[in-house]
Amino acid sequence: MDFTVEYEPTPGEVVRGLERALKHQLKALIWLFPAFLVVFGVVFLLLGNIGIGVGLLVAAIVVPFVIPWSLRRTARKQVPYLCVPTTLHVTDDGYESRSEKLTTDVRWSLFSRVVVTPEFWLFFVNKQATGFLPRNAFTPEQQAQLDARLAPLTNPPA
């Protein structure tokens, strides 16, 4: 595998890619934090501390809406750096992304896990989201080659 593509990500793609990567990274927090708030809200209510108990229960309802909003807000800050004409050079060893503002050279061996979505390949080192590649930057044949190359990382050993 050795091909080069020219691509300019849209702001929507960048926000969706980063948001999805961060959601995968923070999956446990997104579910556990509201549960934690509910449990402690109930505990405080049972202890007679109504104000704190109700506050924690309200926070448990609000947090699931605030986290995605916060992720989108964080992702939007990256748009000026990533929504520029970019050259992606992909090989069996890794990929290089070059633009006027940023150049990265990454080996596939760096990643411990790859999450494949219909729109992106999301890259992780341990549980940390490190980046993504948009599928629509590549032809169907190139996508198939990338899927085959990244397959061992989509279901890494535990």
PDB file of all heavy atoms in Angstrom, residues 67-81:
ATOM      1  N   ILE A  67     -21.795  17.460  28.626  1.00  0.00           N
ATOM      2  CA  ILE A  67     -20.578  16.801  28.141  1.00  0.00           C
ATOM      3  C   ILE A  67     -20.489  16.847  26.615  1.00  0.00           C
ATOM      4  O   ILE A  67     -19.465  17.277  26.078  1.00  0.00           O
ATOM      5  CB  ILE A  67     -20.440  15.367  28.706  1.00  0.00           C
ATOM      6  CG1 ILE A  67     -20.111  15.434  30.199  1.00  0.00           C
ATOM      7  CG2 ILE A  67     -19.362  14.595  27.952  1.00  0.00           C
ATOM      8  CD1 ILE A  67     -20.053  14.085  30.881  1.00  0.00           C
ATOM      9  N   PRO A  68     -21.521  16.438  25.864  1.00  0.00           N
ATOM     10  CA  PRO A  68     -21.403  16.531  24.398  1.00  0.00           C
ATOM     11  C   PRO A  68     -21.214  17.977  23.919  1.00  0.00           C
ATOM     12  O   PRO A  68     -20.449  18.224  22.985  1.00  0.00           O
ATOM     13  CB  PRO A  68     -22.722  15.953  23.883  1.00  0.00           C
ATOM     14  CG  PRO A  68     -23.220  15.092  24.984  1.00  0.00           C
ATOM     15  CD  PRO A  68     -22.741  15.732  26.261  1.00  0.00           C
ATOM     16  N   TRP A  69     -21.907  18.906  24.539  1.00  0.00           N
ATOM     17  CA  TRP A  69     -21.736  20.324  24.173  1.00  0.00           C
ATOM     18  C   TRP A  69     -20.284  20.747  24.393  1.00  0.00           C
ATOM     19  O   TRP A  69     -19.680  21.400  23.553  1.00  0.00           O
ATOM     20  CB  TRP A  69     -22.672  21.198  25.010  1.00  0.00           C
ATOM     21  CG  TRP A  69     -22.402  22.654  24.868  1.00  0.00           C
ATOM     22  CD1 TRP A  69     -22.813  23.482  23.860  1.00  0.00           C
ATOM     23  CD2 TRP A  69     -21.612  23.455  25.749  1.00  0.00           C
ATOM     24  NE1 TRP A  69     -22.345  24.755  24.073  1.00  0.00           N
ATOM     25  CE2 TRP A  69     -21.596  24.766  25.231  1.00  0.00           C
ATOM     26  CE3 TRP A  69     -20.930  23.203  26.930  1.00  0.00           C
ATOM     27  CZ2 TRP A  69     -20.916  25.810  25.848  1.00  0.00           C
ATOM     28  CZ3 TRP A  69     -20.252  24.243  27.548  1.00  0.00           C
ATOM     29  CH2 TRP A  69     -20.251  25.520  27.007  1.00  0.00           C
ATOM     30  N   SER A  70     -19.714  20.332  25.511  1.00  0.00           N
ATOM     31  CA  SER A  70     -18.331  20.680  25.826  1.00  0.00           C
ATOM     32  C   SER A  70     -17.358  20.040  24.834  1.00  0.00           C
ATOM     33  O   SER A  70     -16.378  20.665  24.423  1.00  0.00           O
ATOM     34  CB  SER A  70     -18.003  20.236  27.252  1.00  0.00           C
ATOM     35  OG  SER A  70     -16.682  20.503  27.564  1.00  0.00           O
ATOM     36  N   LEU A  71     -17.636  18.801  24.442  1.00  0.00           N
ATOM     37  CA  LEU A  71     -16.779  18.126  23.464  1.00  0.00           C
ATOM     38  C   LEU A  71     -16.820  18.844  22.119  1.00  0.00           C
ATOM     39  O   LEU A  71     -15.786  19.041  21.479  1.00  0.00           O
ATOM     40  CB  LEU A  71     -17.204  16.662  23.294  1.00  0.00           C
ATOM     41  CG  LEU A  71     -16.992  15.751  24.496  1.00  0.00           C
ATOM     42  CD1 LEU A  71     -17.531  14.353  24.201  1.00  0.00           C
ATOM     43  CD2 LEU A  71     -15.533  15.689  24.896  1.00  0.00           C
ATOM     44  N   ARG A  72     -18.024  19.229  21.680  1.00  0.00           N
ATOM     45  CA  ARG A  72     -18.132  19.968  20.411  1.00  0.00           C
ATOM     46  C   ARG A  72     -17.407  21.303  20.493  1.00  0.00           C
ATOM     47  O   ARG A  72     -16.734  21.720  19.554  1.00  0.00           O
ATOM     48  CB  ARG A  72     -19.606  20.187  20.048  1.00  0.00           C
ATOM     49  CG  ARG A  72     -20.263  18.986  19.421  1.00  0.00           C
ATOM     50  CD  ARG A  72     -21.639  19.300  18.881  1.00  0.00           C
ATOM     51  NE  ARG A  72     -22.565  19.753  19.900  1.00  0.00           N
ATOM     52  CZ  ARG A  72     -23.245  18.966  20.725  1.00  0.00           C
ATOM     53  NH1 ARG A  72     -23.093  17.655  20.637  1.00  0.00           N
ATOM     54  NH2 ARG A  72     -24.061  19.468  21.614  1.00  0.00           N
ATOM     55  N   ARG A  73     -17.529  21.974  21.615  1.00  0.00           N
ATOM     56  CA  ARG A  73     -16.870  23.269  21.805  1.00  0.00           C
ATOM     57  C   ARG A  73     -15.346  23.113  21.730  1.00  0.00           C
ATOM     58  O   ARG A  73     -14.650  23.895  21.084  1.00  0.00           O
ATOM     59  CB  ARG A  73     -17.279  23.860  23.150  1.00  0.00           C
ATOM     60  CG  ARG A  73     -16.771  25.237  23.394  1.00  0.00           C
ATOM     61  CD  ARG A  73     -17.430  25.820  24.650  1.00  0.00           C
ATOM     62  NE  ARG A  73     -16.950  27.144  24.891  1.00  0.00           N
ATOM     63  CZ  ARG A  73     -16.013  27.441  25.778  1.00  0.00           C
ATOM     64  NH1 ARG A  73     -15.480  26.506  26.525  1.00  0.00           N
ATOM     65  NH2 ARG A  73     -15.626  28.684  25.940  1.00  0.00           N
ATOM     66  N   THR A  74     -14.838  22.075  22.372  1.00  0.00           N
ATOM     67  CA  THR A  74     -13.402  21.799  22.335  1.00  0.00           C
ATOM     68  C   THR A  74     -12.958  21.465  20.913  1.00  0.00           C
ATOM     69  O   THR A  74     -11.922  21.940  20.455  1.00  0.00           O
ATOM     70  CB  THR A  74     -13.070  20.623  23.287  1.00  0.00           C
ATOM     71  OG1 THR A  74     -13.457  20.991  24.605  1.00  0.00           O
ATOM     72  CG2 THR A  74     -11.604  20.267  23.251  1.00  0.00           C
ATOM     73  N   ALA A  75     -13.748  20.666  20.213  1.00  0.00           N
ATOM     74  CA  ALA A  75     -13.396  20.273  18.842  1.00  0.00           C
ATOM     75  C   ALA A  75     -13.387  21.480  17.909  1.00  0.00           C
ATOM     76  O   ALA A  75     -12.529  21.583  17.030  1.00  0.00           O
ATOM     77  CB  ALA A  75     -14.375  19.218  18.344  1.00  0.00           C
ATOM     78  N   ARG A  76     -14.326  22.401  18.087  1.00  0.00           N
ATOM     79  CA  ARG A  76     -14.397  23.583  17.209  1.00  0.00           C
ATOM     80  C   ARG A  76     -13.127  24.426  17.290  1.00  0.00           C
ATOM     81  O   ARG A  76     -12.778  25.115  16.333  1.00  0.00           O
ATOM     82  CB  ARG A  76     -15.620  24.424  17.551  1.00  0.00           C
ATOM     83  CG  ARG A  76     -16.887  23.856  16.997  1.00  0.00           C
ATOM     84  CD  ARG A  76     -18.053  24.828  17.146  1.00  0.00           C
ATOM     85  NE  ARG A  76     -19.286  24.121  16.915  1.00  0.00           N
ATOM     86  CZ  ARG A  76     -20.158  23.786  17.862  1.00  0.00           C
ATOM     87  NH1 ARG A  76     -19.958  24.142  19.103  1.00  0.00           N
ATOM     88  NH2 ARG A  76     -21.235  23.126  17.562  1.00  0.00           N
ATOM     89  N   LYS A  77     -12.448  24.386  18.407  1.00  0.00           N
ATOM     90  CA  LYS A  77     -11.209  25.162  18.550  1.00  0.00           C
ATOM     91  C   LYS A  77     -10.106  24.642  17.634  1.00  0.00           C
ATOM     92  O   LYS A  77      -9.162  25.358  17.331  1.00  0.00           O
ATOM     93  CB  LYS A  77     -10.736  25.141  20.007  1.00  0.00           C
ATOM     94  CG  LYS A  77     -11.643  25.904  20.940  1.00  0.00           C
ATOM     95  CD  LYS A  77     -11.153  25.833  22.365  1.00  0.00           C
ATOM     96  CE  LYS A  77     -12.085  26.574  23.297  1.00  0.00           C
ATOM     97  NZ  LYS A  77     -11.655  26.495  24.688  1.00  0.00           N
ATOM     98  N   GLN A  78     -10.215  23.388  17.191  1.00  0.00           N
ATOM     99  CA  GLN A  78      -9.206  22.794  16.320  1.00  0.00           C
ATOM    100  C   GLN A  78      -9.459  23.065  14.842  1.00  0.00           C
ATOM    101  O   GLN A  78      -8.584  22.842  14.010  1.00  0.00           O
ATOM    102  CB  GLN A  78      -9.134  21.281  16.557  1.00  0.00           C
ATOM    103  CG  GLN A  78      -8.807  20.895  17.975  1.00  0.00           C
ATOM    104  CD  GLN A  78      -7.503  21.499  18.445  1.00  0.00           C
ATOM    105  OE1 GLN A  78      -6.510  21.464  17.743  1.00  0.00           O
ATOM    106  NE2 GLN A  78      -7.518  22.091  19.629  1.00  0.00           N
ATOM    107  N   VAL A  79     -10.660  23.538  14.509  1.00  0.00           N
ATOM    108  CA  VAL A  79     -11.053  23.733  13.113  1.00  0.00           C
ATOM    109  C   VAL A  79     -10.057  24.572  12.311  1.00  0.00           C
ATOM    110  O   VAL A  79      -9.662  24.178  11.209  1.00  0.00           O
ATOM    111  CB  VAL A  79     -12.490  24.304  13.035  1.00  0.00           C
ATOM    112  CG1 VAL A  79     -12.808  24.832  11.650  1.00  0.00           C
ATOM    113  CG2 VAL A  79     -13.483  23.226  13.439  1.00  0.00           C
ATOM    114  N   PRO A  80      -9.591  25.722  12.805  1.00  0.00           N
ATOM    115  CA  PRO A  80      -8.670  26.524  11.978  1.00  0.00           C
ATOM    116  C   PRO A  80      -7.364  25.802  11.621  1.00  0.00           C
ATOM    117  O   PRO A  80      -6.757  26.091  10.593  1.00  0.00           O
ATOM    118  CB  PRO A  80      -8.370  27.750  12.845  1.00  0.00           C
ATOM    119  CG  PRO A  80      -9.460  27.808  13.854  1.00  0.00           C
ATOM    120  CD  PRO A  80      -9.916  26.397  14.058  1.00  0.00           C
ATOM    121  N   TYR A  81      -6.947  24.865  12.446  1.00  0.00           N
ATOM    122  CA  TYR A  81      -5.692  24.157  12.199  1.00  0.00           C
ATOM    123  C   TYR A  81      -5.869  22.956  11.276  1.00  0.00           C
ATOM    124  O   TYR A  81      -4.921  22.546  10.616  1.00  0.00           O
ATOM    125  CB  TYR A  81      -5.081  23.685  13.519  1.00  0.00           C
ATOM    126  CG  TYR A  81      -4.879  24.808  14.486  1.00  0.00           C
ATOM    127  CD1 TYR A  81      -5.718  24.976  15.574  1.00  0.00           C
ATOM    128  CD2 TYR A  81      -3.852  25.737  14.288  1.00  0.00           C
ATOM    129  CE1 TYR A  81      -5.536  26.030  16.458  1.00  0.00           C
ATOM    130  CE2 TYR A  81      -3.675  26.796  15.160  1.00  0.00           C
ATOM    131  CZ  TYR A  81      -4.519  26.933  16.239  1.00  0.00           C
ATOM    132  OH  TYR A  81      -4.344  27.980  17.101  1.00  0.00           O
TER     133      TYR A  81
END
